Amino acid sequence: MYGDLEQVLYHESTIFARLDELAREITRHYSNVRGDLVVLAILDGGLIFMADLMRRVNLPLQFRTLSVSSYYGGTESSGEVKILGELPDVKGKHVLLMDDILDSGRTLAAVKKRVQDDCDPVSVQICVLLQKKKPRAEEVSADYVAFEIEDEFVVGYGLDYQGCYRNLPVIGTLKTELILPEHR
Ligand code: IMP
Ligand code: MG
């Protein structure tokens, strides 16, 4: 699987060191909230990031997941964001949304708005593994970002190309010949 990568951008040890830092920031920010913190991971991309980061946060938090589809198999974000699952009950709670990447911003803008409008939380913050350096289609910003990357397509550590490579422990770019001509 590693042979499919053009370049490794972040090795596992680099990711873990950064997760330690982020977890300390999150622990500090929510230290008075304790059991009223709900981490809401966006599936499928946010799953691995959430699992590794949450085990480093030293607070008795709850976690939930939300299925969202916004990307249709290529390497460009589609405009439409669909929340597929039921929204969790987070009334009176502090919500920390976690996703793999802030790209166009459409997914997180839509989910944050739905949670704020429909779920009556006390606060909603956003935590992402990656943030692309590019203008966002939607007005949204992340409160916690592990790494900022150029505007290029990456896989691994939760991020997929056509459903694969999420289980790669590193983050990297794919060899061009592995990307379908219509997605290049
Ligand atoms: P958005 O454009 O910010 O709404 O991002 C939508 C979704 O696109 C993310 O949650 C990812 O699942 C996916 N995505 C965006 N950029 C990449 C990438 O470089 N690699 C893999 N998936 C990506
Ligand atoms: Mg995806």
Side-chain angles (χ1 to χ4, degrees):
M1 197 167 43
Y2 287 89
D4 291 0
L5 295 181
E6 178 71 42
Q7 195 194 350
V8 173
L9 299 179
Y10 301 103
H11 287 279
E12 198 174 26
S13 56
T14 311
I15 297 172
F16 285 171
R18 184 70 187 115
L19 294 193
D20 288 339
E21 292 175 355
L22 270 188
R24 276 196 292 273
E25 260 185 72
I26 292 169
T27 303
R28 213 178 306 125
H29 181 84
Y30 291 104
S31 59
N32 297 324
V33 169
R34 300 181 61 84
D36 284 338
L37 170 61
V38 180
V39 172
L40 182 56
I42 297 177
L43 297 179
D44 300 310
L47 192 61
I48 289 176
F49 178 45
M50 171 173 90
D52 282 345
L53 183 56
M54 286 310 103
R55 279 177 293 174
R56 291 166 163 82
V57 172
N58 188 14
L59 294 170
L61 53 83
Q62 302 176 35
F63 58 68
R64 305 295 300 268
T65 56
L66 191 63
S67 279
V68 175
S69 98
S70 57
Y71 218 68
Y72 292 103
T75 58
E76 289 294 329
S77 209
S78 71
E80 203 192 342
V81 177
K82 269 194 238 147
I83 296 178
L84 306 172
E86 220 172 277
L87 287 163
D89 178 9
V90 292
K91 188 174 159 57
K93 307 277 187 196
H94 295 265
V95 176
L96 180 61
L97 294 175
M98 295 197 51
D99 201 1
D100 51 1
I101 193 161
L102 192 62
D103 182 19
S104 72
R106 288 189 189 99
T107 307
L108 281 161
V111 173
K112 184 173 181 179
K113 186 168 187 317
R114 273 294 297 280
V115 171
Q116 277 173 331
D117 291 355
D118 299 356
C119 303
D120 205 13
V122 179
S123 70
V124 182
Q125 284 200 313
I126 292 176
C127 176
V128 290
L129 173 68
L130 303 174
Q131 169 170 291
K132 285 190 186 172
K133 288 182 197 162
K134 69 192 274 191
R136 312 263 170 255
E138 292 291 333
E139 187 83 30
V140 64
S141 63
D143 302 280
Y144 309 94
V145 176
F147 303 105
E148 203 175 41
I149 61 167
E150 298 302 325
D151 185 11
E152 59 187 346
F153 189 78
V154 295
V155 294
Y157 202 74
L159 292 132
D160 72 300
Y161 175 58
Q162 305 227 292
C164 288
Y165 302 108
R166 292 192 199 277
N167 57 321
L168 198 63
V170 304
I171 299 166
T173 52
L174 268 184
K175 285 187 173 152
T176 314
E177 65 264 31
L178 294 172
I179 298 177
L180 294 170
E182 60 267 35
H183 296 151
R184 285 179 200 158

